[in-house]
Amino acid sequence: MKSEKLLFAMKGIDDDIISKTYKYSTKRKIVSFRKNFLVAACICLIIIGTGVLGYNQGLFNTLSPNKNQNGVQSQITLDLTNSFSLKVYAAENKEIPLEAGKEIPISIGNIGNCWGFSEGGGEYDENGEVIYYHFDLPKMDCEGNNIKDISFSINKSQLQVTNYIVDSDGKPVDGTCDSNDTYTFSYDEFKNNYINISVIGYIPKNDTAMNAIFTPETIDEYLNQVKNILEGIIITCQVTYNDGSTDSINIIMDAAYMTYDELKNNFGIEWSINPEDKLRSEGTVEVFYKVKE
Amino acid sequence: MKDEEIIELYFKRNERAIEETDIKYGNYCETIAGNILWNNQDIEECLDDTYMKMWNRIPPTRPRILRAFIGKIVREIALNMYKASKTSKRGGGVVSQLLDELEECLPDNTTVEHVILENELAEIIRDFVRELNERDAYIFTSRYFYAQDISDIAIKFGMTKHNVTVILSRLRKKLQLRLAKEGYLAS
């Protein structure tokens, strides 16, 4: 059997990679998100609050602190006013300017963030009539006052949520994975679990789409296909406060071509360049999301 | 005990080498064998054979990374046992899945088995994985070396199952192109 020979040939994989693969653990990653909270680079997409903003002193240098009427910076107090802030974690040790509406590349952050396409077939599409797409959202965290629960919903495509229960060391011990239009998490659940949210969906499989995605002649052809898929997708994050009132933000997605230098200098993303990929010799298409203003 | 010390025991032909190997790498070997065989009796037999092979290979071989060295041995023995059994029942279905997935990389019209030697194929795989980024290399290795279940890989890398499936699909396509480039395929 030919594939059997290929399976045996996997013994050719370097010893270093075999050893490191076995030792790899998400524990390190999760700990860095949870425990190194104050030093981990992160991005505050937006702060919404009907009252006093939930200002985290010193957490984000680029955030404008609240000021009172005399222009004096306010200090953290026991603020009982409803508020929430949604933060998006970037790569560790990489701080990115934080402003509402700032475009955030999807590939930053943990090793699990990625996006891509696959032909139908197998478990998900027996007839192979579609092309699936998948976009991981970077790790998010929510902070605020009086928050009862947090929900995410999407107007098209679907959300896939993997909800890992982690132990005290941050190691996943159990988890669920489900696809739906809306998900609601209790505040504690969202804070304590390791939650991965992705946008998934599919488009009809035809020659145009197949060529544009898998064998594009130009990078623009690929870019336009990705942009078409993302167009109109709105992810709404809504918090419900203990008093029943709500706040929300909308996140939209888009794609752009960037050079590898731009990705590295602006976002700290170091791309693995395939020398044989002539279309992507100097740059590549990256997916971004931003707060809808 | 450190790997170097264990290896020294082998070189001194001290039977404690096997005992120490089992203490340090017993669970590791059991996991690999278990992913492929899923049968306690077979797994036990596989581990016995693995330790025997270790004993016979060291010396003269002095492994650079003991974990990878023993991992390759236990995997090969487990796959051979699976092959001998020829029943998906005994293989727990995982190896059948892997073979089906890898079949995508090798279209029917190839006469590969007579064209490229096993070692050459192993070298192509080595180079292919070396050129992947770290994450993809680990995911590929988890699936096709360690024969890990997609769900386990998803949890290990903090990803969704679907995400892992997409990445593996992309990597198989990439491998297919690579094999074609090496003249491995007729296409």
Side-chain angles (χ1 to χ4, degrees):
Chain A
M1 188 188 292
K2 296 154 196 157
S3 58
E4 192 175 281
K5 187 169 180 179
L6 196 51
L7 190 60
F8 271 93
M10 297 298 165
K11 69 179 181 185
I13 297 172
D14 280 330
D15 288 359
D16 281 339
I17 294 173
I18 289 170
S19 183
K20 284 177 183 172
T21 299
Y22 184 78
K23 289 176 183 170
Y24 181 86
S25 166
T26 50
K27 177 180 169 182
R28 178 184 49 188
K29 176 180 63 187
I30 293 172
V31 168
S32 72
F33 289 142
R34 297 290 180 194
K35 293 189 177 173
N36 299 338
F37 189 68
L38 290 175
V39 295
C42 51
I43 299 163
C44 182
L45 271 179
I46 193 169
I47 298 180
I48 293 180
T50 52
V52 178
L53 296 175
Y55 169 53
N56 299 289
Q57 186 181 31
L59 188 57
F60 308 112
N61 295 333
T62 49
L63 271 180
S64 299
N66 299 322
K67 293 182 178 179
N68 62 22
Q69 289 178 333
N70 298 321
V72 177
Q73 180 177 318
S74 63
Q75 298 299 309
I76 294 179
T77 58
L78 286 175
D79 182 8
L80 301 177
T81 313
N82 292 342
S83 67
F84 94 97
S85 63
L86 186 65
K87 304 184 186 84
V88 181
Y89 288 81
E92 289 175 61
N93 305 319
K94 174 69 183 172
E95 193 167 337
I96 296 178
L98 322 166
E99 292 158 7
K102 182 90 182 175
E103 290 191 333
I104 312 299
I106 226 169
S107 293
I108 59 173
N110 65 70
I111 196 170
N113 287 341
C114 75
W115 57 278
F117 305 92
S118 62
E119 286 184 60
E123 183 183 351
Y124 299 103
D125 170 35
E126 287 182 2
N127 298 321
E129 294 171 342
V130 300
I131 300 170
Y132 286 98
Y133 56 85
H134 181 119
F135 301 92
D136 272 357
L137 299 183
K139 179 82 182 101
M140 286 185 272
D141 199 3
C142 186
E143 291 261 301
N145 294 325
N146 307 321
I147 299 172
K148 182 185 171 195
D149 58 47
I150 301 150
S151 70
F152 287 86
S153 59
I154 193 164
N155 63 334
K156 57 184 269 196
S157 303
Q158 276 200 319
L159 293 175
Q160 185 174 63
V161 172
T162 308
N163 188 345
Y164 299 116
I165 298 166
V166 295
D167 62 17
S168 56
D169 293 327
K171 187 178 180 184
V173 292
D174 198 5
T176 59
C177 182
D178 198 11
S179 306
N180 216 325
D181 298 332
T182 304
Y183 282 92
T184 301
F185 309 93
S186 70
Y187 185 58
D188 287 343
E189 184 184 17
F190 197 75
K191 295 289 290 179
N192 296 329
N193 288 8
Y194 182 76
I195 291 168
N196 185 40
I197 301 175
S198 311
V199 174
I200 63 169
Y202 58 84
I203 56 173
K205 184 176 174 180
N206 54 46
D207 288 346
T208 307
M210 283 293 289
N211 290 338
I213 290 172
F214 297 112
T215 52
E217 288 185 6
T218 66
I219 198 72
D220 281 346
E221 186 185 357
Y222 181 71
L223 173 62
N224 290 334
Q225 182 65 53
V226 178
K227 286 172 87 72
N228 283 341
I229 289 170
L230 298 174
E231 190 175 8
I233 292 177
I234 300 176
I235 303 157
T236 301
C237 171
Q238 177 175 290
V239 298
T240 302
Y241 298 108
N242 291 326
D243 63 9
S245 61
T246 61
D247 271 330
S248 65
I249 59 170
N250 290 325
I251 298 168
I252 56 176
M253 302 172 78
D254 199 0
Y257 174 84
M258 293 190 83
T259 65
Y260 295 119
D261 283 345
E262 286 171 330
L263 285 167
K264 186 176 179 182
N265 295 336
N266 297 337
F267 303 111
I269 299 171
E270 299 222 30
W271 211 271
S272 177
I273 303 169
N274 178 359
E276 292 170 19
D277 190 346
K278 303 299 178 196
L279 285 184
R280 297 172 181 82
S281 58
E282 293 176 2
T284 191
V285 171
E286 178 57 293
V287 172
F288 294 83
Y289 72 95
K290 58 186 175 185
V291 172
K292 187 171 187 288
E293 296 183 274
Chain B
M1 184 177 275
K2 289 180 180 173
D3 285 356
E4 295 76 17
E5 293 170 326
I6 296 175
I7 291 168
E8 276 312 308
L9 288 175
Y10 278 104
F11 270 82
K12 288 175 183 167
R13 308 314 287 161
N14 184 334
E15 290 181 9
R16 215 179 113 221
I18 292 177
E19 195 183 322
E20 293 296 338
T21 303
D22 186 50
I23 290 169
K24 189 164 185 181
Y25 292 111
N27 287 341
Y28 171 70
C29 292
E30 203 173 317
T31 303
I32 296 175
N35 286 345
I36 295 167
L37 297 168
W38 283 57
N39 174 301
N40 287 339
Q41 197 182 333
D42 288 350
I43 292 168
E44 204 174 315
E45 194 182 321
C46 177
L47 261 59
D48 288 344
D49 290 353
T50 299
Y51 296 143
M52 180 60 71
K53 205 158 189 175
M54 287 282 284
W55 182 255
N56 291 333
R57 281 203 192 175
I58 312 174
T61 309
R62 186 178 283 275
R64 193 172 63 87
I65 299 175
L66 193 58
R67 178 184 295 282
F69 185 78
I70 194 170
K72 287 181 180 180
I73 290 175
V74 69
R75 179 182 182 274
E76 187 157 352
I77 291 171
L79 282 176
N80 278 322
M81 287 176 73
Y82 172 85
K83 196 176 166 184
S85 76
K86 285 288 180 194
T87 62
S88 58
K89 202 175 176 183
R90 289 183 74 187
V94 177
V95 177
S96 303
Q97 285 173 24
L98 297 182
L99 292 174
D100 285 345
E101 288 173 20
L102 292 173
E103 196 70 36
E104 291 174 22
C105 305
L106 299 166
D108 289 339
N109 57 355
T110 178
T111 53
V112 55
E113 283 174 297
H114 307 292
V115 177
I116 290 193
L117 298 172
E118 189 179 326
N119 284 345
E120 290 174 314
L121 186 55
E123 280 178 24
I124 294 172
I125 297 291
R126 183 198 62 201
D127 291 343
F128 171 76
V129 177
R130 270 183 190 174
E131 289 163 19
L132 299 176
N133 65 44
E134 194 179 65
R135 184 204 62 188
D136 286 358
Y138 290 171
I139 290 173
F140 186 88
T141 305
S142 295
R143 182 65 173 161
Y144 298 114
F145 182 85
Y146 285 113
Q148 279 191 306
D149 189 73
I150 301 279
S151 306
D152 293 337
I153 298 173
I155 288 184
K156 184 173 182 178
F157 289 91
M159 305 166 83
T160 64
K161 274 174 68 177
H162 184 82
N163 198 345
V164 174
T165 305
V166 168
I167 290 170
L168 287 172
S169 170
R170 182 164 49 77
L171 292 175
R172 285 196 300 273
K173 193 171 278 292
K174 209 168 173 178
L175 177 59
Q176 186 187 19
L177 291 172
R178 180 57 175 266
L179 291 172
K181 188 189 158 203
E182 300 283 346
Y184 200 80
L185 306 180
S187 59

